[in-house]
């Protein structure tokens, strides 16, 4: 499998808890009124200052240009899917996918990251292990246009795992 490049800002967190089980990957979008492209560093600052969380709630951020950025450390419980944080990894795709569409670069990088995480945690790339946020709670997230591409993401992730 191809190497996955992940940009790490060295974000600082307070009081994280270790996740003891990982059985799902949850896909998110920004969902702000504009189709924005916020960095993991910007989201981290917002989650600390506005939400009063320990830091960014997502484990990864995928920017419009396909850059993958580290958010919360992989080993830590996230803050991205209320009621399901203790057993999931959260991947945030930048943009509002009710009004915009993910870029081809985001889809490729997302599939590559899913392939890596699937191998790391022994997860099949299927509808039970790779889910949209809306599959867990009543929300529009990850937006209709990204949600419609989840099977494409899963399929590409399988291809990356096998090639």
């Amino acid at each position: 499998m191809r190497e996955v490049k992940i940009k790490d800002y060295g974000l600082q967190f307070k009081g994280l808890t270790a996740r003891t089980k990982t059985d799902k990957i949850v896909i998110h979008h920004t969902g702000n009124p504009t189709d924005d492209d916020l960095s993991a560093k910007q989201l981290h600052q917002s989650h600390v200052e506005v939400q009063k969380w320990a830091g960014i709630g997502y484990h990864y951020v995928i920017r419009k240009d396909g850059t993958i950025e580290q958010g919360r450390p992989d080993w830590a419980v996230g803050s991205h899917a209320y009621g399901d944080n203790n057993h999931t990894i959260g991947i945030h795709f930048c943009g509002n996918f009710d009004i915009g569409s993910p870029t081809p670069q985001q889809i490729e990088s997302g599939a590559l990251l899913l392939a890596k995480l699937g191998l790391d945690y022994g997860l099949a790339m299927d509808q039970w292990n790779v889910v949209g946020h809306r599959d867990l709670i009543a929300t529009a997230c990850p937006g209709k246009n990204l949600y419609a591409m989840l099977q494409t993401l899963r399929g590409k992730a399988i291809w990356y795992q096998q090639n």
Side-chain angles (χ1 to χ4, degrees):
M1 197 182 94
R2 245 176 40 185
E3 179 187 356
V4 180
K5 295 180 183 171
I6 300 170
K7 184 174 184 175
D8 190 343
Y9 290 105
L11 302 174
Q12 300 297 307
F13 295 84
K14 298 176 273 184
L16 296 178
T17 303
R19 191 178 60 257
T20 58
K21 174 182 174 186
T22 305
D23 63 5
K24 284 190 192 325
I25 300 169
V26 183
I27 306 298
H28 300 271
H29 75 149
T30 310
N32 286 340
T34 58
D35 190 27
D36 53 29
D37 189 28
L38 301 172
S39 70
K41 192 173 184 178
Q42 290 169 304
L43 289 166
H44 180 72
Q45 183 178 358
S46 171
H47 287 180
V48 168
E49 293 176 3
V50 178
Q51 302 293 343
K52 306 298 184 202
W53 293 345
I56 186 171
Y58 311 107
H59 296 92
Y60 296 95
V61 172
I62 301 179
R63 306 289 300 275
K64 296 278 190 185
D65 68 0
T67 301
I68 302 170
E69 299 177 346
Q70 184 72 53
R72 194 168 285 220
D74 259 17
W75 58 263
V77 171
S79 190
H80 60 91
Y82 184 77
D84 287 288
N85 288 314
N86 65 337
H87 64 100
T88 61
I89 288 181
I91 301 176
H92 171 88
F93 285 71
C94 294
N96 181 333
F97 301 122
D98 279 326
I99 61 173
S101 294
T103 66
Q105 297 92 331
Q106 283 179 301
I107 296 302
E108 289 306 314
S109 292
L112 192 59
L113 179 59
L114 283 173
K116 176 192 181 314
L117 294 172
L119 291 173
D120 289 351
Y121 292 98
L123 301 176
M125 296 290 100
D126 59 29
Q127 67 270 26
W128 296 280
N129 294 310
V130 179
V131 301
H133 189 194
R134 70 171 61 175
D135 293 321
L136 302 175
I137 193 169
T139 178
C141 184
K144 65 184 179 196
N145 297 322
L146 179 54
Y147 191 78
M149 296 190 77
L150 286 184
Q151 190 54 38
T152 298
L153 273 169
R154 293 180 197 114
K156 285 179 173 283
I158 292 167
W159 186 89
Y160 279 124
Q161 287 177 335
Q162 296 173 350
N163 293 283

